[in-house]
Amino acid sequence: MALLVGGMVLAHAIYAQNATIGQLTTLLQSEDRQDQLQRRLRLGVGEVTRLAEQRRAVPSAEWSEVGAALTGFHRGNAHAMAAMPPSDELRILMAQRRAAEARFAMLSWRLLHDARQAPGAVRAQMPAFLAALRQLETSRSMLRGALIRQIDATLKSNSQQFSKHLEKVLATAVAVLVAVLACMVWLRRRVIAPIVAIAERVRQLSRGEDAWASVPGAARPDELGDLARGIGDYRTAVEERRRAERRVEFLAHHDVLTGLPNRLLFEERLARELARTRRSPERVAVFAIDLDDFKSINDRFGHVGGDEALRGAARLLSACARASDMVARLGGDEFAIIQVAGEQPAAAEALAQRILRACEATAGDTVPTQMSIGVALSGVEQAGEELYNLADMAMYRAKAEGRQTARFFDDQFKEEVRLRWRLSRDLEGAAERGELYLAYQPIADAETLQVIGQEALLRWAHPELGEIPPDRFVPLAEASGRIDAIGLWVADQAMAAASRWPDHITLALNLSAIQFRQPALGHELLALARRHGVSPTRLEFEVTESATLLDHRRQPVLTVLRTLQHQGARIVMDDFGTGYSSLGNLRDFRFDKLKVDRSFVATMLNHAPSSSIVRSIAALGASLNIPIVAEGVETIAQLALLRDWGIPQVQGFLIGRPNSDAIHCADPAAMPLMLQVAPEWAARR
C-alpha cells in the first residue's frame, strides 16, 4: 500500500508538471507559426518596395501574395492569445509582442500603400518599418526567453518534486526497496534523463550556442516527446530568425543589385578612416565615379541591360581596387571608392589608371563600360562630406572635358571653386548695386538687312574682377535660385527700354529653365508688359530645347509657354539642333520661331555636316511655316549662303554687336556701314 500510495503521489506530481510543460510547448509552437507568417510578410513587403523604388511594375500576383501574407499575419495576431499563459509575466510579454505585431502589420500596410500609390515615399517610411521590425523581434525574443526560463524552472521543479516524493516513498516503504529501486531506474531512464538532456539543450540555446546536437526524445509519443519536438522547432525558428537578422543587417548596409556597400556604410567607413589618418602619415583618397551615357544604355537595352551594366561596373571596380579599399554604390550609376595609402597621390593615380585601362578593355563588349572619375585627397581636419563633394566636382570636370577620363581636385581647381563661391556671393544684390546691365543685339531681315528686333543680353560688370561672362555667372544664379529675381529684373529693364522703341521693333528675352519652377511666371511677364505699355505681340521669349522641355517638368513648362503665346507673345526655340529631342519638341508644341545654333553657322562654310544641318533646318522651317533665325553671322559669305537657303532672319556681329544703348540699338542707322550698303550689293550680285 505504501508503494502504491507513494507511486500515485509521485505520478500525480509528475503529470501536473508535464501538463505545464505541454502548455508551454503549445505556446512555443504558436510563436513559431506566427514567426513564419511574419517572415513571409517581411519578404513580400521587401520585394514589392524594392520593385517600387526601382520604378518597376509589380505583378498582380505579387500584390496578391503580399496581401495574403498581411491577412494571414493579422489573423495569426488575432488568435495569438488563444492559449492562456500560465504566469503574469508571460501574459504581459505576450501582450507586448501582440502590440508590436499590430504596429508591424500597420506599417507593412502603409508601406504597401506607398509602394502602390507614392513610390517616392517608400524611402521615408522604411526607417519606421525597420524600427517596428526590430521592436517586434525584441519583444518576441523576450517572450521566448521567458518561455525558456519557465520551461527550465518547471523541469527543475519536476526534478525536485520527484526527489522529495521519492524520499518519502523510501522512508515509508523500506520493505519495497527493490521495487522502488527498479521504479527509480525506470523513471531515470524514461523521464529524468530525457528531461535533464532537454534542459541542457535549452540552456545551450539560451547561451546562443549554434552547434548542439538534436533534442533527445523527439521520437517519443508522450508529453516529453511533445516537449522535445517543441524545443527542436523553437531551435529552428531561432536559427532562421538569426539568419534573417543577418540578412537585414546586410541589406541595411549594402546595395541589393551589386552587393557593394551602400552610401550609409560608405559614409561610416570614410568617417572612420579620416579620424584614423589624422594620427598617421596616410591620406585618404575618395573617388567619385559615374558611368558615361548610362541613360542611353537603359534606352537601348532596357532596365535589365542597365542592371547588368551596373553589375559589370561593380565587378570591374572591385577587380581594380585593393582588398583594403572600399568600393561602394551610392545610387543610380554613381560609385565611389575609399583608398587609404601613405604614398599619395601616386596610389590614387595608379588606381585611376587601372580603372581606365579596364574600361578600355571592354570596348568590344556589347555594352562597353565607360567611366568619368573624380579624385580628392584628404586634408587636415577635413569632413567626409566635404571630401566627397570635392571628388564629385572633379568628376563633373572630367565629364565636361570629354568623359572616360580622370581628374584630380588640385590647387588650380580649388582656386576655380573659390572664385565660383565668391561670384555666387557677390551676385547677391548685384542688380541693386548697379553692376548688372543689359546689352541689346539686333536681329535683322536677311534680305533687306533692316533691324526688326533686339535681343536683351544680361551683362555683369564686377567692380574688382571686371566683366564676368554670362556663361559663368548665369549658372551660379540658377544654382543659387537667384535667377528668378534676376530674370524678372531683366524683363522689367528690357521692357522699359522697348517702350521707347518704334512699334515694329520686337524684344527677345531669354528664359532660364529654373524660372519655370514658378507657375505664375507667364502672368508676371505679361503684367510687366502691361505696366510698361509694351504689346505682347512685340515680345519674343527664347527657351533652349534641351534645358526646358525635358523630363518630368515638361508639362509645367509647356503650360507657361502657352500662357504667353495665347496673349500674342512669340515663343522661340533657341540653339535649335543641339538637343536630342528637337523634333519631339516641335511635335508637342507649336513654336513661333527657331534659332539655328551659332556653332553650325560658324562652321558651315568649311564643314559639310554643319552645312547640311543648317540647310535641313531651313527646309524644315519652310515646310512647317516657322521662321528661322541664324545666330552667329559674322561674314558676308555666311550671309549670302543663308540667303540662298531661304533663311529669313539673321543675327550676329556682322549685323551688330551687343550695345548697352537701347535707343541706339533700335535705330536702323546704327548698323555697320558695310551693311547699310548691303542692299545695293545684294542687287548687283
Side-chain angles (χ1 to χ4, degrees):
M1 289 298 295
L3 182 61
L4 179 59
V5 172
M8 291 177 62
V9 172
L10 182 60
H12 177 75
I14 293 174
Y15 179 82
Q17 294 294 334
N18 285 343
T20 302
I21 292 173
Q23 186 180 8
L24 294 174
T25 301
T26 301
L27 291 175
L28 279 173
Q29 293 173 339
S30 174
E31 284 297 306
D32 179 59
R33 286 192 298 272
Q34 190 65 6
D35 186 67
Q36 292 176 355
L37 291 174
Q38 169 202 322
R39 183 168 61 257
R40 178 186 171 195
L41 174 59
R42 183 180 67 248
L43 294 176
V45 171
E47 179 63 16
V48 169
T49 53
R50 181 183 70 82
L51 293 175
E53 282 186 315
Q54 295 177 356
R55 305 294 181 177
R56 295 169 57 184
V58 180
S60 299
E62 191 78 20
W63 285 115
S64 299
E65 184 177 350
V66 177
L70 183 57
T71 302
F73 187 73
H74 269 300
R75 290 175 178 172
N77 190 30
H79 295 86
M81 296 292 286
M84 182 58 64
S87 69
D88 292 338
E89 179 188 8
L90 289 178
R91 293 190 189 96
I92 294 173
L93 290 176
M94 288 190 72
Q96 292 175 353
R97 188 263 299 147
R98 190 177 187 186
E101 284 186 342
R103 174 171 173 76
F104 177 75
M106 179 192 67
L107 290 178
S108 298
W109 180 88
R110 186 178 300 169
L111 202 57
L112 290 175
H113 178 270
D114 288 343
R116 183 179 286 248
Q117 301 296 331
V122 168
R123 184 178 296 273
Q125 293 287 349
M126 189 58 69
F129 175 77
L130 293 176
L133 175 58
R134 288 192 294 270
Q135 181 182 1
L136 176 55
E137 292 292 349
T138 300
S139 63
R140 179 160 285 136
S141 177
M142 292 175 61
L143 177 57
R144 286 172 175 165
L147 286 171
I148 291 171
R149 289 193 300 273
Q150 290 216 7
I151 290 172
D152 188 43
T154 303
L155 293 174
K156 290 180 179 178
S157 176
N158 196 0
S159 178
Q160 292 173 358
Q161 290 292 329
F162 173 77
S163 299
K164 177 180 178 181
H165 289 288
L166 183 59
E167 290 175 358
K168 292 181 179 180
V169 170
L170 289 174
T172 58
V174 177
V176 291
L177 181 58
V178 175
V180 172
L181 289 175
C183 183
M184 288 179 61
V185 171
W186 181 86
L187 288 174
R188 184 171 183 82
R189 291 184 57 188
R190 297 292 298 171
V191 179
I192 298 177
I195 290 177
V196 172
I198 290 173
E200 179 59 26
R201 296 294 185 267
V202 172
R203 282 191 289 272
Q204 291 178 357
L205 181 61
S206 65
R207 292 195 296 266
E209 298 178 7
D210 294 329
W212 47 285
S214 60
V215 181
R220 292 175 56 152
D222 56 9
E223 290 83 355
L224 285 178
D226 291 340
L227 176 60
R229 288 187 291 274
I231 297 298
D233 292 342
Y234 180 64
R235 171 199 175 189
T236 302
V238 169
E239 290 177 346
E240 291 179 354
R241 177 177 60 81
R242 289 173 180 168
R243 284 195 295 269
E245 288 175 348
R246 289 192 292 269
R247 178 64 176 168
V248 169
E249 180 69 16
F250 179 84
L251 293 177
H253 293 87
H254 290 78
D255 172 53
V256 177
L257 179 64
T258 62
L260 294 177
N262 60 12
R263 183 182 295 272
L264 177 61
L265 193 56
F266 170 81
E267 292 174 350
E268 292 176 355
R269 171 75 177 274
L270 181 58
R272 288 199 306 270
E273 295 295 353
L274 288 174
R276 185 181 63 83
T277 53
R278 292 190 186 103
R279 302 182 297 273
S280 71
E282 295 178 318
R283 296 181 69 187
V284 179
V286 171
F287 289 66
I289 304 171
D290 201 41
L291 295 186
D292 295 333
D293 298 323
F294 181 67
K295 185 180 185 302
S296 65
I297 295 176
N298 274 330
D299 293 340
R300 290 169 55 200
F301 301 101
H303 290 293
V304 174
D307 290 348
E308 183 55 38
L310 292 173
R311 284 190 287 265
R315 291 191 294 268
L316 183 148
L317 294 173
S318 299
C320 294
R322 304 173 305 178
S324 59
D325 300 335
M326 171 183 273
V327 180
R329 181 190 175 205
L330 305 186
D333 60 339
E334 300 178 26
F335 294 84
I337 299 177
I338 299 175
Q339 181 196 59
V340 182
E343 299 179 356
Q344 294 287 20
E349 291 173 351
L351 176 55
Q353 291 303 316
R354 287 199 300 272
I355 295 173
L356 294 177
R357 285 195 298 268
C359 290
E360 292 173 359
T362 67
D365 295 349
T366 304
V367 183
T369 302
Q370 294 185 331
M371 299 179 179
S372 295
I373 305 172
V375 187
L377 300 176
S378 62
V380 178
E381 298 296 331
Q382 193 164 35
E385 182 179 1
E386 178 188 1
L387 184 59
Y388 176 76
N389 288 338
L390 298 181
D392 195 52
M393 285 189 285
M395 183 268 293
Y396 278 105
R397 168 65 65 86
K399 279 188 175 293
E401 295 182 1
R403 304 187 176 187
Q404 184 58 18
T405 186
R407 289 292 179 266
F408 279 70
F409 190 89
D410 52 17
D411 292 338
Q412 179 182 358
F413 205 162
K414 290 180 182 178
E415 189 60 34
E416 292 179 7
V417 171
R418 188 178 297 110
L419 178 59
R420 284 201 300 271
W421 286 344
R422 179 184 178 183
L423 291 177
S424 180
R425 179 198 64 195
D426 294 348
L427 190 59
E428 178 72 27
E432 291 77 3
R433 295 191 299 271
E435 298 172 12
L436 297 183
Y437 67 94
L438 297 184
Y440 300 87
Q441 187 173 26
I443 303 172
D445 182 274
E447 291 297 329
T448 65
L449 297 182
Q450 293 298 313
V451 174
I452 60 176
Q454 298 284 345
E455 180 180 0
L457 303 173
L458 181 61
R459 296 291 185 261
W460 184 12
H462 194 281
E464 298 178 7
L465 302 177
E467 289 288 334
I468 308 299
D471 60 356
R472 186 149 207 181
F473 72 82
V474 170
L476 296 177
E478 293 176 334
S480 63
R482 300 189 183 103
I483 194 65
D484 295 324
I486 292 176
L488 291 178
W489 178 87
V490 169
D492 183 61
Q493 297 294 313
M495 291 182 189
S499 66
R500 301 187 295 273
W501 299 345
D503 290 341
H504 70 279
I505 301 296
T506 61
L507 170 65
L509 293 170
N510 292 279
L511 296 181
S512 165
I514 307 301
Q515 290 179 264
F516 288 98
R517 295 177 306 182
Q518 305 297 328
L521 174 63
H523 300 290
E524 291 175 344
L525 294 172
L526 293 172
L528 287 175
R530 287 192 298 270
R531 191 177 76 183
H532 292 289
V534 177
S535 172
T537 58
R538 294 179 57 199
L539 300 178
E540 295 182 353
F541 295 99
E542 299 184 4
V543 293
T544 57
E545 51 168 330
S546 59
T548 61
L549 301 180
L550 303 177
D551 65 40
H552 63 283
R553 293 191 51 80
R554 185 182 185 89
Q555 195 54 46
V557 170
L558 296 180
T559 300
V560 172
L561 296 182
R562 289 190 180 100
T563 299
L564 296 170
Q565 200 174 49
H566 289 166
Q567 296 299 317
R570 287 187 286 273
I571 305 301
V572 182
M573 182 186 288
D574 198 8
D575 300 337
F576 183 75
T578 58
Y580 60 82
S581 62
S582 303
L583 297 181
N585 290 328
L586 292 179
R587 176 196 62 201
D588 296 341
F589 185 81
R590 174 67 183 182
F591 285 88
D592 300 296
K593 188 184 294 187
L594 304 178
K595 296 189 76 171
V596 182
D597 187 69
R598 66 182 67 249
S599 62
F600 299 124
V601 176
T603 57
M604 67 181 186
L605 295 179
N606 50 22
H607 186 249
S610 295
S611 176
S612 299
I613 290 173
V614 176
R615 187 185 307 171
S616 299
I617 294 174
L620 178 65
S623 64
L624 296 176
N625 196 25
I626 300 178
I628 306 296
V629 183
E631 293 183 303
V633 181
E634 298 184 358
T635 67
I636 293 293
Q638 291 173 341
L639 177 63
L641 194 57
L642 294 171
R643 280 172 165 170
D644 290 341
W645 290 340
I647 291 183
Q649 298 177 16
V650 291
Q651 182 181 16
F653 289 171
L654 183 66
I655 309 303
R657 293 178 176 272
N659 194 309
S660 59
D661 187 347
I663 299 179
H664 176 80
C665 290
D667 184 3
M671 282 195 304
L673 179 61
M674 175 178 60
L675 292 183
Q676 293 182 33
V677 299
E680 291 75 11
W681 166 78
R684 287 197 302 272
R685 74 182 180 92

